[in-house]
Amino acid sequence: MPQPHPSALTIVQKQDLRTHAMQAAQHSYSPYSKFRVGAALLLSDGNIVTGCNVENASYRLTCCAEQSAIARAVAEHGPSICLRAVAIANLNNSASMPCGACRQTLAEFGGDDTLILYPAEDGLAETTLGEILPAAFRAHYFVSQ
C-alpha cells in the first residue's frame, strides 16, 4: 500500500493549522497598512509555531508573518527545524500567498514538498513550496565539501 506523501495533512490538521494562523493574525502590529497577517508552521516534529506581521514606519524594516514565525521557531526549537507545512491567514479577507522574500526564507527550512495553505481570490488554496519557488536558491549548492 502506498504511503501518504510526507507533506500530506488530514483535513483536521489543515483546519488546525489555519486556526493557529488566524489566531496569530490577531496579534499583528500593522498600524500603517491595516493588513493583519498570521502564519503557522507545522514542524516535522509535530510542533506548531506561529508568527504575525510586524510593521515599521520605515516600511523596509517590516517583518512578514512567515519570517516572524521562522525566527520564533529557530529561537524555540533550534536551527535544525524542518518545515512540514505552513498556513497563512489574514483578517482582511484578501488573497495572500507568501511574498518572494518569504518564499526564499521558507525554502531555507523546508523542501519542495512543504505544503503551503493560503487564502486565494476564490477561497482557501494549497500548493507546495516547490511549485511557488521552483528554483529556490540553496547555499549548499555552492558550498564546497
Side-chain angles (χ1 to χ4, degrees):
M1 173 183 241
Q3 294 297 314
H5 191 277
S7 295
L9 301 181
T10 66
I11 291 171
V12 172
Q13 287 175 307
K14 290 176 186 179
Q15 290 170 338
D16 187 45
L17 204 56
R18 285 186 169 120
T19 297
H20 276 83
M22 285 296 285
Q23 290 170 342
Q26 298 285 338
H27 298 284
S28 167
Y29 176 74
S30 47
Y32 308 105
S33 72
K34 310 289 191 247
F35 194 67
R36 302 172 69 192
V37 182
L41 311 175
L42 175 60
L43 305 181
S44 60
D45 65 6
N47 283 300
I48 294 176
V49 180
T50 61
C52 62
N53 60 322
V54 179
E55 292 183 350
N56 191 284
S58 176
Y59 269 32
R60 191 163 187 267
L61 300 178
T62 293
C63 184
C64 295
E66 298 90 331
Q67 293 179 12
S68 171
I70 288 287
R72 182 175 176 196
V74 170
E76 292 179 0
H77 299 279
S80 62
I81 62 163
C82 183
L83 302 177
R84 184 170 171 205
V86 179
I88 314 306
N90 68 73
L91 304 182
N92 301 75
N93 297 316
S94 300
S96 59
M97 185 181 272
C99 72
C102 285
R103 294 174 195 198
Q104 184 61 48
T105 300
L106 294 171
E108 189 74 14
F109 299 97
D112 287 344
D113 62 344
T114 299
L115 185 64
I116 309 292
L117 308 166
Y118 65 97
E121 296 288 332
D122 56 351
L124 298 174
E126 55 186 75
T127 188
T128 63
L129 187 55
E131 290 172 341
I132 63 172
L133 189 64
F137 177 83
R138 302 209 188 264
H140 68 269
Y141 293 154
F142 304 101
V143 176
S144 61
Q145 307 299 348

